[in-house]
Amino acid sequence: MLQRIRNSRQDPVPAWLVALLFWVAGASVWGQQAESPVPFRVSSELVLIELIVTDGQGNFVPDIDSSEIEVREDGKKQQIRHFELIRLTGAASSSLGIQSDAQGTPELIERREPASADSGVLVVIALDLASIGPLPIGRVKQSVADFIRNHLAPQDRVMLATIASQLKVEQSATTDHARILERIDGLKPDSATAADETSLGRFMDEIENLFRLVSITTNKQVLKDSVSAFGKNLITALERRLASSSQSLGLLARSLRPVQGRKHIVLYTAGYPMNAPFLVRDIIEQRLSDGFVVDQELRQHLNAVLGGVQKEELHSYLQKLIDEANRSQVSFYTVDARGLIALSAGGESSVRGLRHSSRQGVTNEYLRAEINEPQEYLRNLAGGTGGLAFLNSNDLQKGLARSYRDLHEHYLIGYRPETKRRKGKFHQIKISLNRPDVSLRYRRGYFEGERIETKEREISDALQFPSLFRAFPISIETAVTGRTLNVYTLVPTGALAFEQKGKKYKGGIEIFAILVDEAGNRVGDELAFAKRYTWEIDQAQLEQLRQGDNVVSAGQTAVPKTPGAYRVIVAVRRSLDGAISTQSLGIEF
């Protein structure tokens, strides 16, 4: 039971520790399983789906009636229990729809809520610097900055992230648009991950250069080995880049899981050629065929050298990202950062950002592949998450504008599943509309509620990227006693979540902490400390708890042996809904 107590520890307590202090023995929960946050919008077994309906010109259709819609889950027709048209404007948020009464009879409802200071939308922008490269980045920056400057409402929050060797949150969600514009202006391509490294065009350039240096007739085996090695290096670099970018985007999607409402990530990227292993082999075969016959022996040689990565393996990285986004209810709106892409009659690429001209012995087929293959990544990511892909256009604001509009206009459909439930099962959703010449966009399914990730992975993400996890306010303070670092974690009482069970209110939090050095390396292999707090209190105790400002937890870890600048990072997770918040604080030893 929570109670107000005096601290009996021997180390001095700062004067600011005037809030309620609670203590639970037997602290560590690292590695245990926790209650899972709901991976799809399900409330009292009500599945909620966000649906966007557009006409032939791409305009939102606002007059759909629930009687026109059929929802099927795993092939079985479902009864619609909730149907809303959500339209957000600068002045108000209106909702018109139906809901069912206790007998399941549809009842028409209309709600209109005045806008508040918090009624803006969340715009999440991610720039894949690992693929964009130095040439298109200027136009991308200008387009994004112009849209923020000219189209966002003052109350809209913007979050900016980049991907190079890893995910970096350039700016967490904020209504300070001037700060966002400063961050955008300072972005530069990451020279350590130059996008040209995985370019089919560069690969073809290297082959041509090699043919100028090596005589086919006298050095046939050397030539075969050299071009095969070039191909293997390209595929290996592509796999590494694709894996890193997909994992980073998955982490970004996971961080948005606690956010309510429709969630988008507008991704600017040049994409990745998912069919690269076969394209590389074909390019090598065609170029080598200019000098000698490509026989079965050569094909076996190429397969042996290039067979380390298959197309299916490259697609697996993308599929894991799509699954991650769907579990977090995040839609990707992908924008090809290369802009308008075309080939001239002479075979020269006229795309801004691509600089390759026609090559001896290499047909336009492969130049087209360099243009089209990376777009498969953009199409699949957007289509698999209920978003849209924007390709072959120099209007780089179009995807951002469409995402922004979709955040303001969509339908919300709810039903109680009537199919057999099994934890961990993926349930496929199909929506059809009895109206011609319209297009439907929605998430195509969800996972039945169970533990999606281990606790280690969730907390590891939060401790590695603190700025991504700010679901509720927390703060930390430190004090040193001898060789012991005392870390005090303060959680506002208003941020605690309770669930009523009869006359009792149940809740809890878990706290995890690490210590990192100035370079960001963790001190030691384990957590600095981990604690778990659970409680079951009555109404009077809950009211008494709410009267205080904060609840405070104290944790301890050893002071590092090496003097210098360090940072303590603390993650707090609510047991009830799985929401996570992090905070960090610098300290000198």
Side-chain angles (χ1 to χ4, degrees):
M1 185 175 91
L2 297 182
Q3 53 182 309
R4 295 179 182 272
I5 61 174
R6 289 183 177 273
N7 180 59
S8 59
R9 295 176 289 113
Q10 295 181 356
D11 52 290
V13 181
W16 46 263
L17 283 178
V18 295
L20 175 67
L21 176 68
F22 58 92
W23 178 268
V24 176
S28 178
V29 295
W30 186 251
Q32 298 178 7
Q33 295 294 310
E35 292 299 318
S36 170
V38 178
F40 199 74
R41 293 189 65 186
V42 182
S43 177
S44 300
E45 298 184 353
L46 185 70
V47 176
L48 298 176
I49 312 167
E50 291 154 342
L51 170 68
I52 295 176
V53 185
T54 55
D55 61 21
Q57 287 70 48
N59 300 313
F60 182 76
V61 179
D63 61 345
I64 300 298
D65 186 83
S66 63
S67 62
E68 300 178 81
I69 293 178
E70 180 181 273
V71 179
R72 290 183 177 270
E73 180 180 297
D74 298 332
K76 186 173 182 179
K77 186 177 179 179
Q78 306 294 317
Q79 181 182 357
I80 296 176
R81 303 279 185 170
H82 185 89
F83 182 76
E84 287 186 274
L85 166 62
I86 297 176
R87 307 192 79 177
L88 303 176
T89 67
S93 169
S94 63
S95 176
L96 174 66
I98 65 167
Q99 62 182 8
S100 301
D101 58 21
Q103 286 73 39
T105 304
E107 176 187 1
L108 184 65
I109 60 169
E110 181 175 359
R111 296 197 304 271
R112 183 171 292 274
E113 302 172 1
S116 67
D118 298 326
S119 62
V121 297
L122 173 62
V123 179
V124 182
I125 302 168
L127 276 65
D128 183 8
L129 300 181
S131 72
I132 293 177
L135 295 178
I137 187 63
R139 294 186 303 118
V140 171
K141 289 167 53 177
Q142 186 64 50
S143 296
V144 172
D146 287 346
F147 187 86
I148 293 173
R149 193 179 292 114
N150 299 324
H151 298 287
L152 295 193
Q155 66 269 28
D156 291 331
R157 294 175 297 145
V158 184
M159 177 180 180
L160 179 66
T162 57
I163 301 164
S165 55
Q166 64 177 5
L167 177 68
K168 180 180 180 182
V169 180
E170 303 288 347
Q171 177 60 57
S172 55
T174 179
T175 57
D176 188 347
H177 298 171
R179 183 184 302 176
I180 288 286
L181 293 174
E182 289 179 6
R183 298 290 189 271
I184 293 173
D185 185 59
L187 294 179
K188 297 179 180 178
D190 186 13
S191 58
T193 57
D196 212 33
E197 181 185 7
T198 54
S199 164
L200 289 175
R202 176 179 174 179
F203 174 62
M204 288 186 276
D205 284 340
E206 289 178 335
I207 289 181
E208 293 304 312
N209 290 334
L210 184 64
F211 268 74
R212 295 187 187 101
L213 298 174
V214 181
S215 168
I216 294 178
T217 57
T218 58
N219 296 282
K220 178 178 177 180
Q221 187 61 46
V222 173
L223 191 63
K224 287 168 51 179
D225 292 341
S226 298
V227 294
S228 299
F230 282 168
K232 184 176 182 179
N233 290 340
L234 170 68
I235 296 173
T236 301
L238 172 65
E239 182 190 24
R240 182 176 64 250
R241 186 73 53 74
L242 180 60
S244 175
S245 295
S246 298
Q247 290 166 3
S248 296
L249 290 170
L251 171 58
L252 183 61
R254 285 200 302 276
S255 73
L256 298 176
R257 185 178 299 172
V259 177
Q260 296 299 309
R262 188 166 176 83
K263 295 169 285 189
H264 298 171
I265 295 175
V266 181
L267 172 64
Y268 286 86
T269 178
Y272 299 93
M274 307 301 295
N275 201 25
F278 298 101
L279 285 172
V280 168
R281 186 188 63 190
D282 289 347
I283 291 170
I284 292 175
E285 285 188 5
Q286 176 163 331
R287 190 60 184 90
L288 289 177
S289 67
D290 291 347
F292 55 88
V293 176
V294 177
D295 53 19
Q296 187 61 30
E297 179 184 355
L298 174 60
R299 289 190 174 91
Q300 292 176 351
H301 171 79
L302 294 175
N303 289 335
V305 174
L306 306 177
V309 178
Q310 300 298 324
K311 179 181 178 181
E312 291 75 16
E313 294 180 44
L314 297 178
H315 274 273
S316 70
Y317 295 114
L318 176 60
Q319 188 58 53
K320 289 177 183 178
L321 169 56
I322 291 173
D323 292 343
E324 196 73 72
N326 285 330
R327 286 166 175 161
S328 303
Q329 296 176 248
V330 172
S331 296
F332 276 91
Y333 286 62
T334 58
V335 182
D336 191 337
R338 299 173 298 174
L340 181 62
I341 305 174
L343 287 177
S344 68
E348 187 171 336
S349 173
S350 61
V351 62
R352 298 188 200 177
L354 294 180
R355 49 169 174 70
H356 313 297
S357 60
S358 59
R359 302 165 175 83
Q360 178 185 357
V362 180
T363 67
N364 288 349
E365 175 185 353
Y366 299 112
L367 291 177
R368 292 190 183 95
E370 181 181 8
I371 293 170
N372 297 328
E373 284 292 331
Q375 293 179 345
E376 179 185 358
Y377 180 87
L378 284 80
R379 289 191 188 94
N380 288 345
L381 178 55
T385 59
L388 285 173
F390 296 84
L391 314 172
N392 301 328
S393 173
N394 284 331
D395 182 359
L396 298 181
Q397 290 188 18
K398 188 179 294 185
L400 191 53
R402 185 54 181 267
S403 167
Y404 188 67
R405 189 174 75 180
D406 288 351
L407 286 170
H408 289 78
E409 294 182 315
H410 58 274
Y411 293 94
L412 188 62
I413 300 174
Y415 66 91
R416 288 189 173 86
E418 298 179 9
T419 53
K420 186 177 180 181
R421 321 309 294 165
R422 188 176 80 244
K423 288 188 174 183
K425 174 180 172 59
F426 181 81
H427 296 284
Q428 188 175 41
I429 296 172
K430 182 177 180 180
I431 300 178
S432 55
L433 179 62
N434 186 22
R435 184 180 295 200
D437 303 322
V438 295
S439 298
L440 309 183
R441 281 192 288 117
Y442 56 93
R443 196 156 291 109
R444 303 291 170 161
Y446 68 98
F447 289 88
E448 179 68 14
E450 72 161 2
R451 187 62 180 168
I452 296 173
E453 298 172 304
T454 63
K455 180 175 292 185
E456 289 91 337
R457 183 176 178 184
E458 287 182 335
I459 296 302
S460 176
D461 289 345
L463 294 174
Q464 184 178 1
F465 299 96
S467 60
L468 278 176
F469 294 82
R470 299 287 171 83
F472 49 89
I474 65 171
S475 59
I476 56 177
E477 294 287 346
T478 59
V480 178
T481 306
R483 299 298 302 173
T484 299
L485 171 63
N486 302 283
V487 180
Y488 305 100
T489 305
L490 291 82
V491 182
T493 56
L496 300 175
F498 296 89
E499 181 180 28
Q500 186 173 1
K501 295 287 188 180
K503 295 184 178 181
K504 294 292 186 178
Y505 293 84
K506 295 183 178 181
I509 59 173
E510 298 162 304
I511 301 177
F512 307 86
I514 61 172
L515 192 65
V516 298
D517 60 22
E518 194 170 14
N521 300 313
R522 183 183 295 195
V523 177
D525 297 328
E526 304 295 332
L527 293 169
F529 59 83
K531 294 179 178 293
R532 181 178 184 179
Y533 302 93
T534 60
W535 55 85
E536 184 175 340
I537 56 180
D538 57 28
Q539 179 68 38
Q541 292 169 323
L542 179 61
E543 292 176 357
Q544 183 183 17
L545 173 65
R546 295 297 195 195
Q547 291 176 2
D549 293 330
N550 302 292
V551 291
V552 182
S553 169
Q556 293 82 32
T557 189
V559 171
K561 296 179 180 179
T562 305
Y566 292 83
R567 181 166 293 274
V568 60
I569 304 174
V570 175
V572 179
R573 173 168 39 201
R574 291 193 303 224
S575 300
L576 185 61
D577 59 4
I580 299 176
S581 277
T582 55
Q583 191 59 263
S584 65
L585 184 67
I587 185 170
E588 290 273 351
F589 293 112

